[in-house]
Amino acid sequence: MYEKETEQLQEIIDDSSRIVFFGGAGVSTESGIPDFRSADGIYHQKYRYSPEQVVSHSFFMQYPDAFYEFYKDKMMVLDAKPNPAHLKLAELEKAGKLSAIVTQNIDGLHQAAGSRNVYELHGSIHRNYCMRCGKFYDAEYVKNSEGVPKCSCGGTIKPDVVLYEEGLDQKTIQGAVRAISRADTLIIGGTSLVVYPAAGFIDYFSGKHLVVINKSETAKTVRAELTIAAPIGEILERIEVR
Ligand SMILES: [Zn+2]
């Protein structure tokens, strides 16, 4: 399956030298990380609030205990490994074909695969800071802490993850926009592009090739040269870096 599409993608990649990859939750689900927004029955049985409610700034401030129960359980998947999509993208960067990755994921799997220029629009579970003194803590410390993780100064630790009601980091936005506007090819993968303001980033692209690889239909209508309705890892795995 997808032979023709994969061939077309190969031709596009061969013709490109400044690829930007824009990725969403679908890139991580293939590493076994559930999309927390796709709340199923289990979530509702265990938690009284919707995932969107829990992962909001006001909820974090008001009920840090409940926030961390959900966050550690559902969002901190520390044993996840990079999948073929992450690995191929890292390989493309190393070969000088890919200039940046812009991701909505917070799991750090692109860096784990070896990618260097990664714009994490929604932050990372691997960065955590004390709200009182600013001291840094890694993901393991947070995950292994009992209840609400506390700093040695007594302050509450907050993940460097963009919660609902919070704005994106300006520097990250600027870097991502710059990379996209200079790209010759933009590959959008594993996202339905519905999460504002990520969807707007695509408008900055003015390069040659626009490709969408996503298992389900992409909500925002993008005029892609090539659309592949398949799992991203399955497709990228077959691409040769040359
Ligand atoms: Zn502190």
Side-chain angles (χ1 to χ4, degrees):
M1 270 170 79
Y2 311 117
E3 274 85 9
K4 201 173 141 264
E5 290 92 338
T6 310
E7 213 170 287
Q8 259 178 287
L9 178 61
Q10 182 73 60
E11 278 169 26
I12 288 172
I13 288 176
D14 288 345
D15 184 45
S16 309
S17 57
R18 283 190 316 281
I19 300 167
V20 167
F21 178 79
F22 188 103
V27 179
S28 292
T29 48
E30 287 172 50
S31 286
I33 297 176
D35 180 357
F36 75 90
R37 273 176 298 268
S38 61
D40 51 30
I42 303 161
Y43 285 28
H44 289 298
Q45 281 165 27
K46 188 164 175 196
Y47 303 100
R48 282 166 50 221
Y49 305 93
S50 74
E52 280 87 354
Q53 274 177 300
V54 175
V55 190
S56 70
H57 181 82
S58 50
F59 192 92
F60 173 82
M61 299 306 283
Q62 221 174 337
Y63 311 108
D65 267 304
F67 170 88
Y68 269 114
E69 191 192 339
F70 178 89
Y71 178 77
K72 287 186 208 173
D73 190 23
K74 296 293 174 197
M75 297 175 74
M76 296 194 89
V77 188
L78 299 187
D79 54 359
K81 298 269 182 295
N83 64 53
H86 297 109
L87 296 170
K88 190 64 69 176
L89 292 166
E91 211 184 307
L92 284 165
E93 185 186 35
K94 209 166 278 169
K97 309 257 317 161
L98 182 143
S99 56
I101 289 170
V102 181
T103 182
Q104 298 172 278
N105 299 329
I106 57 174
D107 47 52
L109 287 179
H110 284 296
Q111 291 90 334
S115 288
R116 302 179 72 95
N117 199 24
V118 183
Y119 295 101
E120 297 173 305
L121 295 178
H122 296 163
S124 173
I125 60 166
H126 296 284
R127 296 186 298 267
N128 305 277
Y129 297 96
C130 170
M131 292 174 77
R132 190 188 286 169
C133 75
K135 190 176 170 187
F136 172 86
Y137 289 89
D138 66 13
E140 282 73 20
Y141 180 88
V142 171
K143 178 97 176 178
N144 298 329
S145 62
E146 193 122 344
V148 178
K150 294 283 182 188
C151 178
S152 51
C153 81
T156 296
I157 294 169
K158 185 176 183 294
D160 188 12
V161 162
V162 181
L163 304 177
Y164 286 92
E165 307 158 359
E166 291 179 345
L168 305 192
D169 177 62
Q170 282 305 316
K171 264 189 161 166
T172 308
I173 293 180
Q174 283 164 14
V177 164
R178 200 180 310 121
I180 289 170
S181 63
R182 288 176 184 171
D184 54 8
T185 292
L186 179 63
I187 302 174
I188 301 165
T191 172
S192 53
L193 293 176
V194 288
V195 183
Y196 180 84
F201 281 85
I202 311 309
D203 299 335
Y204 290 95
F205 177 66
S206 60
K208 252 201 307 202
H209 307 291
L210 179 58
V211 179
V212 175
I213 308 170
N214 193 35
K215 227 162 50 174
S216 56
E217 237 170 87
T218 299
K220 179 176 168 149
T221 320
V222 286
R223 284 155 299 143
E225 174 185 344
L226 174 63
T227 303
I228 310 178
I232 179 103
E234 207 178 299
I235 299 301
L236 287 185
E237 197 171 26
R238 306 186 206 172
I239 293 302
E240 276 179 58
V241 179
R242 52 197 181 201

